[in-house]
Amino acid sequence: MGERKKFALEQFNRDNIIQAAKELFETKGIEKTTMDDIAKLADYSKSTIYVYFKSKEDIYNSIVKDYLEILIGELEICISQSKDFEESYYGLCDCLVRFEEKYPQYYASLMGEENMTNSRKKGHIPESSSGYELEHMIRRLLEKGMSHEDIRTDLELKPTILYMWSAISGIIQVAERQREDLDTRLNMNKEEYLRFSFKTFYESLVRR
Amino acid sequence: MGERKKFALEQFNRDNIIQAAKELFETKGIEKTTMDDIAKLADYSKSTIYVYFKSKEDIYNSIVKDYLEILIGELEICISQSKDFEESYYGLCDCLVRFEEKYPQYYASLMGEENMTNSRKKGHIPESSSGYELEHMIRRLLEKGMSHEDIRTDLELKPTILYMWSAISGIIQVAERQREDLDTRLNMNKEEYLRFSFKTFYESLVRR
DNA sequence: ATATAAATCGAAATAATAGTACGAAAAACA
DNA sequence: TGTTTTTCGTACTATTATTTCGATTTATAT
């Protein structure tokens, strides 16, 4: 009987909790947000929170998963609309940069740069490997829309795609980290530096 | 009077504590290592630990700083011994890869990928910006040993150095993260993938 | 050797917070 | 109306970083 309804209700409650947590994580930061905070804002008792999520990390991972889907959605649209490799490439770069700027916290998690509690704890492998999923997704997207005609003939497609992804994510990461210094050192803002790097990299990949 | 001696003693104590912490962090992991553990292993009372370090994070940061110096030392040697840009480049790559494999935990911190407690806490900027120092160092090293003759004439030197650094660090990061999958997907091991990527990138930079 | 100062210790107290326990109250349901 | 499910509230446990502070040991100087 109440199977579907029950499920819907459960989702409803989980969503409320996640919504509250999201807000708090963004304003107070993850570490400073307590389970009591979340309970209060979501207007549930703490016990109830623990009915729907088994831990704070569980909540965090759910949020990350949400953002993963958002990002993947954006990437899919952006790539599917592209006419050729060049458009896909720049679209992808742009998409990632915008996402990183909008949700730096979650971007880092999605990239596998970090977990909630930097759990490099010996032997503790994060259950939600959403971090890795993203890279698989990207590779799938690129493999689909890309052919041997698009890149230099001396490069093998599959390793090149991963290589390309490495470079792009490295560029974005460093650009963000060095944002302050770009101006001083290079007389460039982040925008310009990114354009320069993406372009230089693109041209190095394409057959000339 | 006892100025020099006092300083030496203080260093001695700090070193003992750091030594103990290092051991514990590596065996038990950072989070699972308590201040009591450190005190016991270092054979000091907990109160004394707090005389020399103001927090657990302070200890961690000191350790990271040590590794930063080690890495920088290795890089300096490796680059100063190189005859030309090609050697510097591959030496740098090799150095970083070896370091990353030896001390993955500290490598990540040095790279600014993570702090002890992933302190993306709002407004909390890590005091010890050792993360950023590394990048400056690398840039200095490369700028010194590199000239306009080494890279394509259409590229400006300074932005290119940062761009190069982005790509290298991205490649290493992704290679480590995807280590498991490289075999399945690319029929390559990490070693081979890295060689491929570094080489491809190098050739894209160099004037042909 | 002895008084003074500095370093260290011990042991208890504080504080913060994740997660648990469990009976009572409320809501949904049959 | 009786039964089941959900939610609540409150108190409790457990862990740990960090602080406090008087007592004790060690070094230094007179």
Side-chain angles (χ1 to χ4, degrees):
Chain A
M1 23 120 264
E3 255 312 292
R4 157 158 278 101
K5 188 164 178 190
K6 186 176 175 182
F7 178 74
L9 182 59
E10 180 162 333
Q11 257 320 42
F12 175 74
N13 289 328
R14 285 179 61 97
D15 285 349
N16 284 336
I17 294 166
I18 283 186
Q19 188 48 43
K22 228 183 242 182
E23 262 181 63
L24 291 165
F25 286 167
E26 267 157 42
T27 52
K28 307 183 57 166
I30 295 159
E31 311 236 9
K32 289 213 193 128
T33 298
T34 72
M35 293 302 268
D36 289 286
D37 291 336
I38 298 172
K40 198 196 293 178
L41 183 59
D43 204 44
Y44 288 79
S45 76
K46 192 159 53 151
S47 339
T48 306
I49 302 279
Y50 278 100
V51 169
Y52 292 102
F53 295 92
K54 77 175 209 292
S55 65
K56 190 176 168 185
E57 182 154 22
D58 190 16
I59 297 178
Y60 181 74
N61 286 336
S62 299
I63 296 176
V64 169
K65 200 175 266 176
D66 284 356
Y67 281 106
L68 176 64
E69 267 157 39
I70 292 173
L71 177 56
I72 287 180
E74 290 180 4
L75 289 174
E76 261 166 354
I77 289 174
C78 146
I79 292 192
S80 69
Q81 289 178 341
S82 302
K83 301 282 171 288
D84 54 15
F85 173 62
E86 183 170 5
E87 254 185 61
S88 293
Y89 171 86
Y90 286 111
L92 171 72
C93 293
D94 193 52
C95 218
L96 287 169
V97 169
R98 274 185 291 108
F99 196 89
E100 193 281 330
E101 281 171 353
K102 212 152 153 198
Y103 318 105
Q105 212 143 125
Y106 297 110
Y107 177 84
S109 286
L110 289 177
M111 289 322 227
E113 284 171 46
E114 56 186 52
N115 295 323
M116 188 186 90
T117 52
N118 245 17
S119 331
R120 298 272 181 247
K121 302 167 197 162
K122 256 265 156 95
H124 172 267
I125 289 166
E127 338 78 53
S128 99
S129 49
S130 359
Y132 310 82
E133 274 178 46
L134 179 62
E135 285 178 2
H136 295 171
M137 174 58 62
I138 301 264
R139 284 159 74 176
R140 214 177 314 150
L141 282 178
L142 291 177
E143 278 169 16
K144 208 172 55 186
M146 204 168 151
S147 80
H148 284 286
E149 282 75 57
D150 293 318
I151 59 168
R152 284 162 38 196
T153 50
D154 59 318
L155 294 177
E156 268 195 73
L157 193 61
K158 288 198 171 206
T160 302
I161 285 176
L162 188 57
Y163 158 70
M164 178 173 135
W165 168 245
S166 311
I168 293 173
S169 69
I171 288 165
I172 293 173
Q173 205 171 112
V174 171
E176 176 55 36
R177 219 150 52 211
Q178 302 274 312
R179 182 208 281 279
E180 312 288 311
D181 285 4
L182 292 177
D183 201 33
T184 329
R185 308 208 169 222
L186 309 182
N187 289 317
M188 278 177 168
N189 57 33
K190 191 183 164 196
E191 204 61 23
E192 293 166 326
Y193 170 71
L194 285 172
R195 203 192 327 284
F196 163 81
S197 299
F198 290 146
K199 181 162 180 286
T200 306
F201 189 72
Y202 176 76
E203 286 168 354
S204 81
L205 277 182
V206 163
R207 32 151 110 237
R208 68 223 51 255
Chain B
M1 27 122 259
E3 255 310 290
R4 159 157 276 102
K5 189 163 176 191
K6 185 175 174 185
F7 179 72
L9 183 59
E10 181 163 331
Q11 255 322 37
F12 175 74
N13 288 329
R14 284 178 63 95
D15 285 349
N16 285 336
I17 294 165
I18 283 186
Q19 186 49 44
K22 227 184 244 183
E23 263 180 62
L24 290 165
F25 287 167
E26 267 157 42
T27 52
K28 307 182 58 166
I30 296 159
E31 311 237 9
K32 287 210 194 135
T33 298
T34 71
M35 293 302 265
D36 288 286
D37 291 336
I38 297 173
K40 198 195 295 177
L41 184 59
D43 203 44
Y44 288 79
S45 78
K46 209 180 5 173
S47 340
T48 306
I49 302 281
Y50 278 99
V51 169
Y52 292 101
F53 295 92
K54 76 172 211 295
S55 67
K56 189 177 169 184
E57 183 155 23
D58 190 16
I59 296 178
Y60 181 76
N61 287 336
S62 299
I63 296 176
V64 169
K65 202 176 266 176
D66 284 356
Y67 281 106
L68 176 64
E69 269 159 36
I70 292 174
L71 176 57
I72 288 180
E74 290 180 5
L75 290 174
E76 263 166 353
I77 289 175
C78 146
I79 291 191
S80 70
Q81 288 178 342
S82 302
K83 301 283 171 289
D84 54 16
F85 172 63
E86 182 170 3
E87 254 185 63
S88 292
Y89 171 86
Y90 285 111
L92 171 72
C93 294
D94 193 52
C95 221
L96 286 169
V97 169
R98 275 186 291 108
F99 196 90
E100 193 281 329
E101 281 171 353
K102 213 154 152 197
Y103 317 105
Q105 211 143 123
Y106 298 110
Y107 177 84
S109 285
L110 289 176
M111 291 322 228
E113 285 171 45
E114 56 185 54
N115 296 325
M116 188 185 90
T117 51
N118 247 19
S119 330
R120 298 269 180 251
K121 302 166 197 163
K122 254 262 156 93
H124 172 269
I125 289 167
E127 338 79 52
S128 98
S129 50
S130 0
Y132 310 82
E133 275 178 42
L134 179 63
E135 283 176 6
H136 295 170
M137 174 58 61
I138 301 263
R139 284 158 73 176
R140 215 177 313 150
L141 282 177
L142 291 176
E143 278 170 14
K144 208 172 56 186
M146 205 167 152
S147 80
H148 283 288
E149 281 76 57
D150 294 319
I151 58 169
R152 285 161 38 196
T153 51
D154 59 318
L155 295 178
E156 266 196 75
L157 194 61
K158 288 195 169 209
T160 303
I161 285 176
L162 188 58
Y163 158 69
M164 178 172 134
W165 168 246
S166 311
I168 293 173
S169 70
I171 288 166
I172 293 173
Q173 205 173 114
V174 171
E176 175 56 35
R177 218 150 51 212
Q178 301 273 313
R179 182 208 282 281
E180 313 287 311
D181 284 5
L182 291 178
D183 201 34
T184 329
R185 306 208 171 223
L186 308 182
N187 288 318
M188 279 177 169
N189 57 33
K190 191 182 163 196
E191 203 61 23
E192 293 167 326
Y193 170 70
L194 285 173
R195 203 191 329 282
F196 163 81
S197 299
F198 290 145
K199 182 162 180 287
T200 306
F201 189 71
Y202 176 76
E203 287 169 353
S204 81
L205 277 183
V206 163
R207 36 152 108 235
R208 66 224 52 255

